[in-house]
Amino acid sequence: MPAALPPSTAQTTTEFKAALRRQLLAARRNIDAPTRAAWDADICRHIVTWWQTARVDALGVYWPLRDEPDLHPAYAELARLGARLLLPVVLQRDAPLAFASWQIGEPLVKDAMGIAVPAHQRLEAVPPALLVPCLGFNKQGYRLGYGGGFYDRTLEQLPRPATIGIAYSCLAAEFGQDGHDVPLDRIITEAE
């Protein structure tokens, strides 16, 4: 019987990232409610401060899932200040994200992937800036998502929007990037 060959680098990277995703999901799930609420409030303040400098007219936001930071207070304040908010919409599984205009209080429905999207999808061009949820992130500004590649495909398009990763600081991790990964312009956590 021949000796087993070592796994390829791609398999090793894939397996490592899968294990890291499980570890980071567990860490995020284990943040207690009072800490999470305080961190979410800090992240919301940092987002509003960033927007007051950037002043983009439209901003791609996200509806939180899997214990992601809840940014609804920031969304309310941004809308009050005049920012137009757009939620990501998956139109095809292996395609870039589309974006639908959304106003706070408008009805949402779950798409085929279980993600909340505006019930009345008024699709618009990719906004000039996106808040991108991060499961994890590294010092080089790369994010670790859930592995679907939706944001990576979206960021490959030109013109590329400004990208602001959103994560808790405890989710900083060391991992390499793949050829299709696109670094974020900035990462906002509760700490900075």
Side-chain angles (χ1 to χ4, degrees), residues 29-108:
R29 189 173 35 253
N30 288 326
I31 299 169
D32 65 76
T35 300
R36 180 182 304 278
W39 288 357
D40 288 356
D42 290 339
I43 291 170
C44 287
R45 277 193 297 279
H46 296 316
I47 290 168
V48 171
T49 299
W50 165 83
W51 184 86
Q52 289 173 322
T53 301
R55 290 284 180 187
V56 293
D57 65 329
L59 179 63
V61 297
Y62 67 88
W63 196 263
L65 58 116
R66 293 184 171 178
D67 302 308
E68 291 171 341
D70 183 349
L71 307 181
H72 287 89
Y75 299 165
E77 180 63 9
L78 292 170
R80 189 188 71 73
L81 293 170
R84 287 185 315 106
L85 305 177
L86 291 89
L87 284 172
V89 177
V90 174
L91 296 178
Q92 294 178 337
R93 185 133 183 96
D94 293 320
L97 294 167
F99 289 87
S101 177
W102 173 65
Q103 293 181 5
I104 294 172
E106 277 187 312
L108 298 171

Side-chain angles (χ1 to χ4, degrees), residues 1-191:
M1 190 164 170
L5 296 174
S8 71
T9 303
Q11 288 173 322
T12 304
T13 300
T14 301
E15 291 165 1
F16 172 78
K17 284 189 174 181
L20 183 57
R21 283 184 181 98
R22 288 190 297 275
Q23 177 185 349
L24 294 172
L25 279 167
R28 192 166 69 189
R29 189 173 35 253
N30 288 326
I31 299 169
D32 65 76
T35 300
R36 180 182 304 278
W39 288 357
D40 288 356
D42 290 339
I43 291 170
C44 287
R45 277 193 297 279
H46 296 316
I47 290 168
V48 171
T49 299
W50 165 83
W51 184 86
Q52 289 173 322
T53 301
R55 290 284 180 187
V56 293
D57 65 329
L59 179 63
V61 297
Y62 67 88
W63 196 263
L65 58 116
R66 293 184 171 178
D67 302 308
E68 291 171 341
D70 183 349
L71 307 181
H72 287 89
Y75 299 165
E77 180 63 9
L78 292 170
R80 189 188 71 73
L81 293 170
R84 287 185 315 106
L85 305 177
L86 291 89
L87 284 172
V89 177
V90 174
L91 296 178
Q92 294 178 337
R93 185 133 183 96
D94 293 320
L97 294 167
F99 289 87
S101 177
W102 173 65
Q103 293 181 5
I104 294 172
E106 277 187 312
L108 298 171
V109 295
K110 298 242 175 165
D111 68 7
M113 299 179 71
I115 298 172
V117 297
H120 305 288
Q121 291 185 12
R122 298 175 307 277
L123 296 181
E124 295 191 19
V126 175
L130 302 177
L131 299 183
V132 181
C134 301
L135 177 54
F137 63 96
N138 67 19
K139 289 185 278 190
Q140 294 77 33
Y142 287 91
R143 75 182 274 274
L144 186 67
Y146 301 115
F150 291 105
Y151 280 101
D152 291 322
R153 285 188 294 277
T154 303
L155 299 179
E156 289 174 346
Q157 299 179 359
L158 297 176
R160 183 182 183 276
T163 53
I164 300 86
I166 305 298
Y168 299 120
S169 61
C170 64
L171 301 177
E174 288 302 318
F175 57 89
Q177 63 273 2
D178 295 321
H180 62 271
D181 291 338
V182 179
L184 301 172
D185 297 314
R186 176 184 197 140
I187 296 175
I188 291 179
T189 70
E190 77 284 356

